Amino acid sequence: MTAQIIDGNALSRTLRAQVAVRATTLQALGITPGLAVILVGDNPASQVYVRNKVKACEDSGLRSVLEKYDATFSEADLLARVDALNRDPAIHGILVQLPLPAHIDAQKVIEAISPAKDVDGFHVASAGALMTGLPGFWPCTPHGCMKMLESIGYDLRGKHAVVIGRSNIVGKPMALMLLGQNATVTVCHSATRDLKALTLQADVIVAAVGKRNVLTADMVKPGAVVIDVGMNRNDEGKLCGDVDFDGVKTVAGWITPVPGGVGPMTITMLLVNTLEAAERSAP
Ligand code: GUN
């Protein structure tokens, strides 16, 4: 068997075209969806991510404002910028790129963002809304994974989903979203005993650890859906995920590639969240 590919680039194109249409509708009401992106310091990966986010906004008819500060920018000054953006009616979404320099308390900064503008979905109010099923912004990466499952018409009810990784940004919200669709969810992590015994039972596996070859072909039930959230480099410096793609694709029913899988979907869901924040602000 060779798995079918879930193409994150193609799905992103479709969803971003829908964002562009809805942005045009808002424009007619005099509202341009606006995203503020704050980057502190010169982390090279963050610079690439931020550039991609800003470009994606432009391509979909959203306005973005990029604020760059050097690594010595103080926590108080950053909190003051967040406060100003919270009160700016032209800004509907605020994203503070992580990681922040060590002298800044990232959680404090995230909690300073108005939940109505928390398009990353990292605020405790957003996490609480997801947990309780109330309206709020969902973190972009797991939300993108759910859209990928939706795109193949996958019915999660009663399925066993195994999430590998328990971060606040991916693993934990992913588990809640799968549970919200009536899957039976197992969350695995570094202290899990016999990971393979669990993944072999899974109908859906989401790998979100940040380590190569966490999931290999011998760990996958034939026909399972495999979602790879990892972003790693192999020995040749090539981008790769957490999943041994070449091996697992011979067993799985569906698989997401890296690159071209979850990565573009994360940015797409940021655009969707920003658009929704703008729509909710409309009179
Ligand atoms: N750093 C890596 N990924 C992300 C993300 O999705 N949002 C923010 N704010 N920072 C990140």
Side-chain angles (χ1 to χ4, degrees):
M1 179 194 284
T2 296
Q4 298 192 63
I5 304 291
I6 310 178
D7 182 342
N9 283 325
L11 180 56
S12 284
R13 273 194 294 278
T14 303
L15 295 175
R16 290 184 198 193
Q18 292 167 6
V19 166
V21 170
R22 283 162 66 186
T24 306
T25 305
L26 275 180
Q27 294 266 15
L29 298 171
I31 298 167
T32 302
L35 173 69
V37 179
I38 301 181
L39 175 62
V40 184
D42 47 17
N43 180 309
S46 291
Q47 288 178 347
V48 174
Y49 289 143
V50 160
R51 204 181 313 132
N52 290 342
K53 289 170 185 176
V54 167
K55 176 162 188 320
C57 282
E58 280 167 16
D59 293 347
S60 298
L62 276 55
R63 189 173 80 92
S64 67
V65 182
L66 174 57
E67 299 191 11
K68 278 185 178 179
Y69 300 104
D70 63 35
T72 57
F73 200 56
S74 76
E75 181 181 284
D77 286 342
L78 180 54
L79 290 169
R81 281 311 304 145
V82 169
D83 185 47
L85 292 165
N86 279 339
R87 287 184 280 105
D88 183 342
I91 294 297
H92 305 95
I94 301 170
L95 183 150
V96 179
Q97 187 66 24
L98 303 177
L100 286 167
H103 67 276
I104 297 176
D105 180 343
Q107 200 55 42
K108 193 167 165 189
V109 174
I110 289 166
E111 299 316 325
I113 296 171
S114 162
K117 299 190 179 187
D118 176 35
V119 287
D120 255 332
F122 293 169
H123 195 288
V124 283
S126 303
L130 170 58
M131 170 156 242
T132 51
L134 293 170
F137 292 113
W138 288 4
C140 300
T141 299
H143 196 181
C145 295
M146 293 303 285
K147 287 282 175 194
M148 294 179 106
L149 290 168
E150 192 185 307
S151 76
I152 60 166
Y154 195 82
D155 182 5
L156 282 158
R157 170 174 285 274
K159 298 292 192 334
H160 186 192
V162 169
V163 179
I164 316 174
R166 56 173 159 181
S167 70
N168 288 339
I169 293 178
V170 185
K172 283 186 215 165
M174 184 81 248
L176 289 169
M177 289 174 201
L178 292 163
L179 193 58
Q181 292 296 311
N182 301 305
T184 301
V185 182
T186 301
V187 181
C188 300
H189 47 80
S190 51
T192 295
R193 274 186 261 154
D194 204 353
L195 177 64
K196 180 177 170 179
L198 294 163
T199 57
L200 274 173
Q201 294 174 32
D203 302 300
V204 175
I205 304 172
V206 180
V209 176
K211 225 163 62 186
R212 281 164 58 195
N213 297 331
V214 158
L215 192 76
T216 47
D218 57 309
M219 300 168 74
V220 177
K221 181 168 79 173
V225 181
V226 175
I227 311 272
D228 190 349
V229 179
M231 284 262 239
N232 312 297
R233 297 269 168 198
N234 68 13
D235 294 335
E236 291 90 54
K238 240 179 75 186
L239 200 63
C240 65
D242 289 354
V243 174
D244 170 25
F245 182 83
D246 290 335
V248 170
K249 77 166 193 260
T250 65
V251 183
W254 293 88
I255 190 167
T256 68
V258 177
V262 174
M265 289 300 295
T266 295
I267 296 186
T268 297
M269 298 322 294
L270 173 68
L271 303 178
V272 170
N273 280 352
T274 303
L275 181 85
E276 284 183 4
E279 285 176 344
R280 287 176 202 174
S281 79

